[in-house]
Amino acid sequence: MIVFEKPKVLTDKPLHYCPGCTHGIVHRLVAQAIEELSIEGKTIGVVPVGCSVMAYDYFKTDMVEASHGRAPAVATGLRRALPDRVIFTYQGDGDLASIGTAETVHAAARNENITVIFINNAIYGMTGGQMAPTSLPGQVTQTSPYGRDVKQCGYPVKICEMLAQLEGPAYLERVAVNNVKHVLAAKKAIRHAFENQLAGKGFSLIEVLSSCPTNWGMTPEKALDWIEEKMIPYYPLGVFKDRDKEAVQ
Amino acid sequence: MSEKVLMKGNEAIAEAAIMAGCRHYFGYPITPQTEIAAYMAKRMPQIGGCFLQAESEIAAINMVYGVSSAGYRVMTSSSSPGIALKSEGLSYLAGADLPALVVNVQRGGPGLGGIQPSQSDYFQATKAGGHGDFRMIVLAPASVQEMANLTLCGFALADQYRMTAMILADGTMGQMMEPVSFEQPPLQEVEKPWAVRGTENMRPHNIINSLYLVPEELERKNVERFARYAEIEKKEARCEEYHVEDADIIVVGFGIAARVAKSAVDAARAQGIRVGLIRPITLWPFPKEALYRAATHAKRFISVELSMGQMVEDISLAIHCKAPVDLCFRTGGMIPSPEQVLNSITDAKTKIDTERTPC
């Protein structure tokens, strides 16, 4: 009896991610949502520049590789050209919260009917571990070797909290993938973000607190603990905006 | 709409784009091209199309990338500083072999420059549209009618060769009003099996991408693309030739500069000077053959430009340095007068008569 299978929406190409990286988990959650909602044939994914740049090889849906930070603008073009299709972006913190901040904010402000999967692992992974817009105060990286000094380079960007100030977005939730309970909650959130799009509700963003054992210089297990002990206190989990709930209130 | 209507050049581009089947326009306000956006904002909702004012030039070109990925005709327009912002996107469009129409209604530069007409983005359009090995088809209209015609032509060429076609106009062309008629072209539906519209679970997934980490693969891609460019250079170069056959002097100019130059050529002919005009309509591919042919009899060339002289190098290359190339220019938003061009022509005539200047 098969109790667990790789989602059919993922290709057989071996993932290039480092051991212990949680991109694999999030890819699976996205693929499961697409499979459960039977939307593989009508979905187009937009991938970023960063560690998940080659995610176009991992999903069986049609895929577009965007330039750094511009995935929400590319997704906007696809959205306007293909009104009955499902469009998602998959972006890291450097892509979405630094170089692409403007595209992120304005796609949210327009309430573009897209689903954004935002991987926050507090570091630039692909380029070898530089300080990200989401690196924690005091966090040591290649470009903050003495720890992130907030006096010199400011404070981390809290995307969900920031976007929640806008009238535009339909749904904003922050989840984590550091333990089974959190992974199950993340799965539900990601599926919900796709359901919102199918219902035409608009911009849904799921921020996923993720690990980068390689560039954090930790074992995979220790990295998961770091999410729990350091990241979650700074980036609290939960729903930051849900227009459905607002309408009820 | 085959009768003539009086229109601004910018509006003619917008209407022609709609006729070409373009239903998606993304832009950001910048003088002197904003009429294109204003026209699209009015027309697109009437015909079920999409006008969207983007948050930046960068976002606009990436929205273009999205629509083009889906296989639909799409355009953006801007003016010089805004085109600089789009250059990243232009490179990605080239790397992913995506068709698009991009309009540059040039203003003076560098930097914020000015808002008056200029042709100082010639290098940017023909040589350095962005990083990496790529080309764009560059079309240079010299009348409101050509603004319309070359827009139609640009969409067709972009689809045919899977690349960006750029309309390189200037503030004068954008702002001036002239009678124009629109001929609805037969809409050629180009097959786009590469487009991403969802697999419908009927085919393997399509990927729009410009990343090739294996150098051999990237090299092969670039070499293939340049084979296509070579075909374009062979087939698509266009220019207007005026009194060229017997000319000792050839004036070369595009856009508004060519119109000024034409008056000067007529005035010089009235004085008995054998002078002709070659007006490149395509700046890339550059009409090298016409120029080389002219160099078999012409003894001197004059490049008339609204810049410090950018096309002048291409003319020298095209004629294999067989004759000297003078520069007649105004820049910073200024336009040469017919008298200035005529003076350049008479100077050239004097030099031909009195000296033998090697290149």
Side-chain angles (χ1 to χ4, degrees):
Chain A
M1 189 181 75
I2 297 166
V3 291
F4 183 83
E5 266 188 307
K6 181 169 73 68
K8 291 184 181 65
V9 176
L10 291 178
T11 64
D12 291 328
K13 185 135 185 162
L15 302 183
H16 71 281
Y17 301 112
C18 302
C21 168
T22 48
H23 267 305
I25 295 174
V26 186
H27 280 23
R28 173 166 59 80
L29 299 182
V30 171
Q32 280 175 337
I34 292 169
E35 189 170 320
E36 286 170 17
L37 297 167
S38 305
I39 51 174
E40 179 188 332
K42 59 182 226 170
T43 296
I44 296 108
V46 185
V47 295
V49 172
C51 281
S52 47
V53 64
M54 284 176 289
Y56 53 73
D57 275 337
Y58 306 143
F59 290 90
K60 284 186 191 161
T61 58
D62 273 354
M63 299 297 284
V64 180
E65 204 290 302
S67 59
H68 201 17
R70 320 299 173 212
V74 174
T76 297
L78 287 162
R79 169 81 291 147
R80 303 303 172 112
L82 304 166
D84 66 339
R85 304 280 103 167
V86 177
I87 316 289
F88 77 92
T89 74
Y90 188 105
Q91 304 172 255
D93 41 49
D95 193 85
L96 181 142
S98 189
I99 199 167
T101 316
E103 285 77 7
T104 305
V105 169
H106 286 276
R110 286 192 302 267
N111 197 26
E112 289 294 338
N113 192 28
I114 59 174
T115 300
V116 176
I117 308 299
F118 167 37
I119 306 298
N120 177 0
N121 60 7
I123 205 151
Y124 282 82
M126 183 63 116
T127 43
Q130 294 78 31
M131 189 185 77
T134 50
S135 291
L136 296 178
Q139 188 178 334
V140 173
T141 71
Q142 195 185 64
T143 51
S144 56
Y146 308 110
R148 180 177 186 151
D149 176 2
V150 294
K151 285 199 203 104
Q152 204 258 116
C153 48
Y155 291 87
V157 178
K158 297 181 176 181
I159 284 292
C160 282
E161 286 85 340
M162 189 172 95
L163 296 183
Q165 304 307 310
L166 298 172
E167 192 74 24
Y171 191 82
L172 304 166
E173 183 174 352
R174 182 181 291 126
V175 298
V177 286
N178 62 321
N179 61 41
V180 174
K181 185 174 151 235
H182 285 161
V183 170
L184 290 174
K187 177 175 192 245
K188 205 171 139 213
I190 288 170
R191 182 180 158 133
H192 187 59
F194 278 99
E195 285 168 342
N196 279 347
Q197 185 179 156
L198 290 168
K201 287 182 181 165
F203 187 90
S204 298
L205 178 145
I206 308 299
E207 176 174 345
V208 187
L209 301 184
S210 303
S211 70
C212 181
T214 301
N215 290 303
W216 291 355
M218 297 175 196
T219 63
E221 202 180 359
K222 184 80 192 50
L224 297 178
D225 293 341
W226 199 79
I227 292 178
E228 190 70 33
E229 290 157 17
K230 302 287 183 188
M231 285 190 79
I232 292 176
Y234 201 89
Y235 297 110
L237 306 184
V239 177
F240 289 81
K241 191 160 195 288
D242 184 349
R243 195 166 319 106
D244 286 348
K245 295 262 167 62
E246 285 168 18
V248 173
Q249 278 163 2
Chain B
M1 206 158 139
S2 56
E3 79 275 18
K4 294 218 167 200
V5 287
L6 194 63
M7 253 185 171
K8 275 192 171 190
N10 283 336
E11 294 168 342
I13 283 181
E15 185 57 35
I18 288 167
M19 283 200 152
C22 171
R23 290 294 175 273
H24 295 84
Y25 170 91
F26 305 95
Y28 184 87
I30 182 170
T31 306
Q33 62 78 52
T34 308
E35 291 84 0
I36 300 177
Y39 195 91
M40 289 302 199
K42 203 185 246 178
R43 286 284 279 129
M44 281 299 191
Q46 295 170 347
I47 54 171
C50 166
F51 163 82
L52 184 62
Q53 184 168 316
E55 60 269 30
S56 68
E57 304 290 3
I58 299 169
I61 193 74
N62 282 285
M63 290 170 186
V64 166
Y65 185 94
V67 173
S68 185
S69 296
Y72 294 100
R73 284 190 168 178
V74 57
M75 76 178 278
T76 184
S77 63
S78 189
S79 180
S80 311
I83 296 293
L85 285 170
K86 291 184 196 295
S87 60
E88 175 200 51
L90 294 174
S91 175
Y92 276 71
L93 286 165
D97 295 314
L98 291 174
L101 188 84
V102 175
V103 179
N104 181 1
V105 184
Q106 297 166 93
R107 51 188 264 178
L112 200 48
I115 58 168
Q116 298 302 321
S118 172
Q119 297 180 329
S120 54
D121 299 345
Y122 180 91
F123 282 152
Q124 185 195 40
T126 60
K127 326 254 179 232
H131 65 283
D133 275 331
F134 79 96
R135 290 287 194 182
M136 296 185 291
I137 292 168
V138 183
L139 306 165
S143 65
V144 173
Q145 185 65 57
E146 261 191 1
M147 291 284 256
N149 295 353
L150 292 181
T151 297
L152 292 167
C153 167
F155 275 109
L157 290 171
D159 269 353
Q160 184 183 346
Y161 294 107
R162 287 186 66 178
M163 64 191 287
T164 295
M166 175 176 276
I167 305 285
L168 193 71
D170 61 72
T172 330
M173 285 298 134
Q175 296 299 321
M176 69 192 226
M177 293 183 91
E178 280 184 329
V180 54
S181 66
F182 293 91
E183 294 294 333
Q184 177 72 55
L187 276 187
Q188 299 152 315
E189 275 300 313
V190 178
E191 288 287 313
K192 295 179 177 175
W194 45 265
V196 291
R197 294 177 182 176
T199 64
E200 295 292 357
N201 305 318
M202 303 286 280
R203 56 160 172 80
H205 67 165
N206 283 341
I207 300 171
I208 303 294
N209 178 36
S210 63
L211 177 70
Y212 297 92
L213 289 177
V214 180
E216 288 84 353
E217 211 181 324
L218 180 55
E219 182 183 55
R220 186 175 52 76
K221 272 288 191 189
N222 287 343
V223 169
E224 279 172 14
R225 195 169 296 121
F226 272 72
R228 210 172 342 133
Y229 293 163
E231 187 191 336
I232 296 167
E233 288 201 85
K234 214 152 108 191
K235 291 186 188 161
E236 307 295 351
R238 292 169 204 196
C239 66
E240 179 193 348
E241 295 175 72
Y242 183 69
H243 294 318
V244 167
E245 307 75 27
D246 66 339
D248 296 325
I249 301 164
I250 298 287
V251 180
V252 188
F254 63 94
I256 187 66
R259 289 173 69 134
V260 175
K262 206 175 214 176
S263 318
V265 165
D266 287 341
R269 282 267 166 189
Q271 293 177 19
I273 302 173
R274 289 192 304 188
V275 55
L277 170 73
I278 293 182
R279 175 174 75 88
I281 297 170
T282 54
L283 298 177
W284 194 88
F286 197 64
K288 288 188 251 183
E289 276 183 30
L291 283 156
Y292 188 76
R293 233 178 8 249
T296 56
H297 51 82
K299 299 175 184 70
R300 211 162 177 107
F301 287 70
I302 303 168
S303 185
V304 183
E305 302 186 53
L306 275 64
S307 76
M308 292 302 295
Q310 300 190 9
M311 182 175 64
V312 66
E313 296 173 13
D314 280 341
I315 300 169
S316 287
L317 283 171
I319 63 172
H320 296 200
C321 287
K322 279 170 180 281
V325 185
D326 299 326
L327 173 66
C328 172
F329 78 97
R330 293 299 299 272
T331 186
M334 301 300 291
I335 300 174
S337 63
E339 293 71 34
Q340 186 190 344
V341 182
L342 181 58
N343 285 340
S344 291
I345 295 170
T346 51
D347 283 355
K349 172 85 170 101
T350 311
K351 283 174 186 157
I352 291 168
D353 291 345
T354 58
E355 54 188 82
R356 283 272 167 264
T357 320
C359 177

